[in-house]
Amino acid sequence: MHGGWLWLDSPAKINLFLEVLSRRPDGYHELVTEMACISLADRLAFRLTAGGAAIHGHIMGDSGPAAGTGEAGLPDWENNLVFRALDLLRREAGIAAGMDVRLEKKIPLQAGLGGGSSNAATALIAGNRLWNLGWPRERLILLAARLGSDVPFFLAGGRAICRGRGERVEPLPPRLGLPVVVATPPEGLSTPGVFAELSHSREGDIRKLPDQCDVGDGGSWPNLFNRLEQPAAKLSVWPRRLRQAFAAVGCPAHQLTGSGSAWFGLFPSRRQAARAARLIAARMPELRLDLCQTTRGPGIPGNGEIATG
Ligand code: C5P
């Protein structure tokens, strides 16, 4: 293992259900959300440094219009959640260890797909393994919650209901392989910006609980719901346009993911998903379209390999 790169997939997520219960004194919002990992993924590679305690990063990729592409220099890298996750882990573990990291970005930024949070969870898993810490997942989850509200979900992976600010994770049996089309518009949305547009008139009113979100089984399709769609639509024309576009191709279940700006649709078959993606792309060439499927969580080696060199 020494000298070799450990390559791990870092998948995006979609929110099948998202209700905001209240605004908290700390500025966060109390929510109930059901999330699922999808195969649209970044790839991360980790390697122990030969000596020294630096955590070096190299970011490559195509994450759409808001991407930080090219070589990652300081101080950008030190603000990246991958660096922050590894730095926090080694400080908490009381070790002065280094790491080389390569990050291949595919997940669009400011899209509600959780790319940064997933990268942070992947980094915790990699640091725990390569630094031989042997921490149980529950201990990593406590660190994850300090890095971001969605990071604990990605440590659990698959599918889960998340409460609190998102950090209280209740895993659900994963529903793997369900075809998903993700449409990302050219403009991203800021999460704090979207939350700030919420009207709080429905505080404490859980419209419905997500327990019935059993996607696509036996021909039944969930009534997806996302409380953040309306506030997102105040800031961007895209939620309305995308709702119309997915309805026009007959998608059985579709909505905004997280605070946007990406929109996803669920389909009974990959063939139907591919056809819908083609039709939407033809009508709206400015969109980025990804055809993917529901999957497991981060920390699973891409293509199963551990490359050397
Ligand atoms: O936890 P995270 O850093 O990902 O949150 C980013 C921002 O999203 C927060 O600063 C807050 O404005 C908003 N947020 C929120 N309620 C949540 C999660 C995030 O208001 N439950």
Side-chain angles (χ1 to χ4, degrees), residues 1-5 46-56 96-101 130-131 309:
M1 166 73 67
H2 194 82
W5 289 94
F46 301 86
R47 183 175 68 174
L48 293 173
T49 49
I55 297 173
H56 286 298
M99 191 81 84
D100 289 330
V101 185
L130 293 186
W131 290 332

Side-chain angles (χ1 to χ4, degrees), residues 107-131:
I107 304 171
L109 305 181
Q110 293 208 302
L113 293 164
S117 303
S118 176
N119 294 169
T122 308
L124 290 178
I125 292 166
N128 192 37
R129 271 164 69 173
L130 293 186
W131 290 332

Side-chain angles (χ1 to χ4, degrees), residues 22-24 27-31 81 84 117 145 147-151 164-167 190-193 195-196 259:
S22 62
R23 188 164 192 281
R24 309 188 338 180
Y28 282 89
H29 292 78
E30 199 68 18
L31 20 112
L81 273 171
R84 288 173 44 206
S117 303
L147 292 161
S149 306
D150 289 344
V151 184
R165 55 182 178 93
E167 87 287 13
S190 130
T191 302
F195 273 105
S259 56

Side-chain angles (χ1 to χ4, degrees), residues 92-112:
E92 292 291 320
I95 54 168
M99 191 81 84
D100 289 330
V101 185
R102 299 171 74 84
L103 168 53
E104 291 179 5
K105 290 298 292 179
K106 290 236 170 53
I107 304 171
L109 305 181
Q110 293 208 302

